[in-house]
Amino acid sequence: MKAAIITPTYRNDLEIVRGLCASVDAFVGADIHHYLVVPRGQYRLFADLNGPRRTVTVIEDVLPRGFFKLPLPARLPFTGRALREGWVVPGRWRVSGWIIQQIVKLSADRICDAELLLFIDSDVRLLRPMDAALFRQGDAVRFVHKPGLGADQPAQGAWSRTVGRLLGIEPQAYYGADYVGNIISWRRDTLLRLQARIARTTGLPWQVAVGREPLFSEYMAYGVFIDHVERGDGHARTPESLTLNSWNYALSLPGEEERFLADWQPHHIGVLLQSTERLAPDTRERIIAALAAR
């Protein structure tokens, strides 16, 4: 089963994604190609990351006609205030870059021909070897499935109701499990059936249907599709995250960094330090170095 890594990213994460790329080159075999997917206007910033192990792909080449990025500056003149990226989708004005990144992941079949699709976030750093065998159990693909987790989170409820409508099943505030992570594996054949289901249910191209939703989770859509629509084989469920995540830590507070480091486990192969935390580069590298030494 041919495998590929896909990382949607953008200008604000340029230096962080360079660290990810270096770690992919160090810990991932050459048989797994790495694709970075960036807006066309930012391609030149990432172009030097092209090479035998990696291809920088343009988002606009992945999306269908009618999707385009608004020509907004990175910052407002005079005030210097940062502007969020905005896109236009047929039937909806000013779609966030976050939704577009999720559509890009769901368009992985248009990025590469791999049967095993591995999504790694920009702000992940690999610290241990990773190969395709890690994501396979016979003919089944590793499937992050965390029963009971997230039931009390408002975002889960919004994502779940949206996914239910798009899949044509009874919308619920919680479908019994959380499917979100930072190193996630999908099957290409399952993804194609998911796309077809959304298009059939909504009567729209699936990209347009998703792009018109203000709140959406691609990982929830894939997980709910497997658990509540297909109910079939082909996936090996696991509650374990392959990364130590900074989501539940306040790393700027006293004692939190030590608590974070103490939670590094043998099954972790990488660390996620969220780019939105805006850790100083030397702090980020110090934490990564401390974990690498363990």
Side-chain angles (χ1 to χ4, degrees), residues 18-155:
R18 288 185 183 279
L20 167 65
C21 291
S23 72
V24 168
D25 293 346
F27 291 109
V28 178
D31 58 322
I32 300 180
H33 198 73
H34 187 193
Y35 294 85
L36 297 180
V37 193
V38 305
R40 188 184 305 281
Q42 299 171 25
Y43 176 85
R44 62 179 181 79
L45 300 175
F46 297 86
D48 64 302
L49 291 170
N50 279 303
R53 302 287 308 277
R54 184 169 297 103
T55 299
V56 181
T57 298
V58 170
I59 290 178
E60 287 88 340
D61 291 343
V62 176
L63 299 176
R65 294 180 65 180
F67 285 65
F68 63 90
K69 188 175 181 298
L70 293 170
L72 300 173
R75 296 184 178 276
L76 284 175
F78 307 114
T79 67
R81 184 170 69 87
L83 283 178
R84 293 183 179 273
E85 292 188 345
W87 293 71
V88 171
V89 172
R92 184 173 173 83
W93 171 258
R94 193 64 189 270
V95 174
S96 73
W98 174 243
I99 292 291
I100 294 297
Q101 284 203 3
Q102 295 179 71
I103 295 174
V104 166
K105 293 178 189 176
L106 288 166
S107 303
D109 60 298
R110 301 184 63 170
I111 296 170
C112 64
D113 62 356
E115 294 88 12
L116 175 59
L117 303 164
L118 309 174
F119 300 97
I120 302 184
D121 290 345
S122 296
D123 38 11
V124 167
R125 190 78 63 89
L126 297 179
L127 298 175
R128 288 173 175 157
M130 188 189 95
D131 61 21
L134 180 63
F135 300 92
R136 295 184 59 186
Q137 187 174 312
D139 291 332
V141 167
R142 186 180 193 276
F143 172 43
V144 171
H145 180 273
K146 297 173 276 190
L149 190 65
D152 59 344
Q153 297 178 5

Side-chain angles (χ1 to χ4, degrees), residues 50 142 147 156 196 255 261 292 294:
N50 279 303
R142 186 180 193 276
Q156 282 272 9
L261 295 174
R294 291 187 171 229

Side-chain angles (χ1 to χ4, degrees), residues 6-10 37-38 59 62-64 67 84-85 87 89 95-111 117 119 121 155 158-160 162-163 166 179-181 184 186 191 194-195 198 206-223:
I6 297 172
T7 303
T9 189
Y10 76 128
V37 193
V38 305
I59 290 178
V62 176
L63 299 176
F67 285 65
R84 293 183 179 273
E85 292 188 345
W87 293 71
V89 172
V95 174
S96 73
W98 174 243
I99 292 291
I100 294 297
Q101 284 203 3
Q102 295 179 71
I103 295 174
V104 166
K105 293 178 189 176
L106 288 166
S107 303
D109 60 298
R110 301 184 63 170
I111 296 170
L117 303 164
F119 300 97
D121 290 345
W159 294 339
S160 294
T162 297
V163 165
L166 291 174
Y179 309 97
V180 178
I184 296 291
W186 286 357
L191 173 60
L194 170 60
Q195 294 172 358
I198 295 173
W206 69 263
Q207 302 97 325
V208 173
V210 172
R212 291 181 180 181
E213 296 291 344
L215 297 170
F216 177 75
S217 166
E218 76 283 42
Y219 295 142
M220 288 291 293
Y222 188 92

